[in-house]
Amino acid sequence: MASIKQRPDGVWRARYRDDAGKEHARHFPTKREGQRWIDEQTAALVTGMHTEPSRARITLGEWADTWLQGYERNRASTVRQAKVHLRVIVADLGHRPLKAVRPSEVNTWIASLTARGYAASTTYALHRRLSQLFTDAVHDGLIPRSPCSRRTSPPAPKQRPYVATTEQVWALHDALPAHFRPVVLLGAFVGLRVAEIAALRVGDVDFMRGIVTPAIQYPAEELKTEASKNPIPIPTELAVMLNANPVQWGSDTIVVGAFGRPVSPYTIEQAFAAARETVDGLPAGFRIHDLRHYFASLLIAAGLDIKTVQARLRHASAKTTLDTYGHMWPDRDESSRAAVSAALRFAPGQMTGTAAGRQ
């Protein structure tokens, strides 16, 4: 139900009720303006695009604060990353009403990030975060549609990871203090991430059967995904090498500091960075995480299929594995040529011998 009436002071009062029965009203200097507003709101109700006027005035910055409160139920590291993104988004667009942001403004913002020197990967991540904010705002009924889409998204960065050689991996291993050497073993031959390496406990390794089963990441948080809990088989020789610290120190963790106590990922990374400087050919930014790339290359070179490699890397989907390591699988050009060539032998005028005899 909607109506428009003139007040004694000459102002026109337009009002309507939404689907929940709540009344909304605004005042206009002319009847025509009031009627136009009623028509717009009625059309939005009919098409399912209605947004409560009082909520529609919320700014992107205000919504980011509300959104973050609900997002904080995630892992601490995930929330920290979101806060980094939100600081940039709110600084640039926080003053804008949610309903006022248009795709063209998002495109302009993305261009400004690039001009200000943000890396392609960072720009892509910021757009994804902005899109997440707007998608959740649509779900919450604050706006009818999101201004973010594939058309406003910058291209996803495609980087081929640096894969260390076997010689470089062992050089890194030998350059580290003895108590830190399991870091390289767990990264290059088990594929663990640095937070998993720091938290890996003796009880997470079945030394007799040769199985590593990550359970937590440093300091004692849930793993990145359910797939991260997948067990990883290891050879007996590696199990023996991983047991060195627990035997020497009686430690609860596989990686320990100089005095046999658990250490943080930061401490491990500092020691790793110092060791990296002594190894010829490694790029300056080579990380512990890059040892996972070596592990992947090792599995692929051994002829393992995509599903097996996915399971060993503990990726949530095979798409992640293919997107990152698809270029490492052996080239099948000659195999495909041979397959087509075999079929072409049966073409008219090309058949000889046994093939001709079948006619």
Side-chain angles (χ1 to χ4, degrees), residues 181-265:
R181 287 175 181 171
V183 170
V184 172
L185 301 177
L186 291 169
F189 304 117
V190 187
L192 298 194
R193 305 170 179 94
V194 64
E196 297 167 343
I197 291 172
L200 190 70
R201 301 163 299 192
V202 174
D204 298 330
V205 183
D206 187 330
F207 295 98
M208 294 295 294
R209 295 170 58 215
I211 298 176
V212 176
T213 308
I216 59 172
Q217 61 180 340
Y218 187 88
E221 296 182 4
E222 285 288 318
L223 292 176
K224 187 177 180 181
T225 64
E226 280 300 310
S228 296
K229 300 176 183 178
N230 289 346
I232 308 149
I234 61 173
T236 303
E237 305 94 305
L238 182 55
V240 171
M241 296 173 76
L242 292 176
N243 201 28
N245 278 342
V247 168
Q248 179 179 355
W249 298 100
S251 59
D252 293 328
T253 55
I254 299 298
V255 176
V256 298
F259 301 102
R261 291 192 291 268
V263 289
S264 69

Side-chain angles (χ1 to χ4, degrees), residues 186-193 196 214 224-233 289-300 304-318 320-322 324-326 328-329:
L186 291 169
F189 304 117
V190 187
L192 298 194
R193 305 170 179 94
E196 297 167 343
K224 187 177 180 181
T225 64
E226 280 300 310
S228 296
K229 300 176 183 178
N230 289 346
I232 308 149
H289 191 85
D290 293 323
L291 293 174
R292 275 171 61 84
H293 305 324
Y294 173 82
F295 180 56
S297 71
L298 205 63
L299 302 180
I300 293 169
L304 274 64
D305 62 85
I306 179 63
K307 293 300 291 182
T308 304
V309 175
Q310 174 199 345
R312 297 296 175 266
L313 290 171
R314 296 166 298 128
H315 284 153
S317 72
T320 301
T321 310
L322 276 174
T324 309
Y325 303 112
M328 292 185 182
W329 260 270

Side-chain angles (χ1 to χ4, degrees), residues 100-270:
V101 179
R102 297 289 181 264
S104 58
E105 188 171 0
V106 176
N107 280 327
T108 301
W109 177 63
I110 292 298
S112 75
L113 292 175
T114 303
R116 282 146 57 187
Y118 282 88
S121 57
T122 304
T123 302
Y124 181 75
L126 286 168
H127 181 273
R128 288 192 63 182
R129 187 70 66 188
L130 183 68
S131 180
Q132 186 178 19
L133 282 171
F134 276 111
T135 298
D136 288 348
V138 172
H139 183 72
D140 209 45
L142 293 175
I143 52 175
R145 63 174 66 86
S146 170
C148 297
S149 67
R150 285 182 296 179
R151 289 188 175 187
T152 62
S153 175
K158 294 182 179 179
Q159 298 177 343
R160 290 192 173 185
Y162 179 84
V163 179
T165 65
T166 299
E167 291 76 13
Q168 288 172 326
V169 168
W170 285 115
L172 276 170
H173 174 271
D174 295 343
L176 285 166
H179 56 88
F180 276 150
R181 287 175 181 171
V183 170
V184 172
L185 301 177
L186 291 169
F189 304 117
V190 187
L192 298 194
R193 305 170 179 94
V194 64
E196 297 167 343
I197 291 172
L200 190 70
R201 301 163 299 192
V202 174
D204 298 330
V205 183
D206 187 330
F207 295 98
M208 294 295 294
R209 295 170 58 215
I211 298 176
V212 176
T213 308
I216 59 172
Q217 61 180 340
Y218 187 88
E221 296 182 4
E222 285 288 318
L223 292 176
K224 187 177 180 181
T225 64
E226 280 300 310
S228 296
K229 300 176 183 178
N230 289 346
I232 308 149
I234 61 173
T236 303
E237 305 94 305
L238 182 55
V240 171
M241 296 173 76
L242 292 176
N243 201 28
N245 278 342
V247 168
Q248 179 179 355
W249 298 100
S251 59
D252 293 328
T253 55
I254 299 298
V255 176
V256 298
F259 301 102
R261 291 192 291 268
V263 289
S264 69
Y266 176 79
T267 303
I268 293 173
E269 287 169 340
Q270 291 293 101

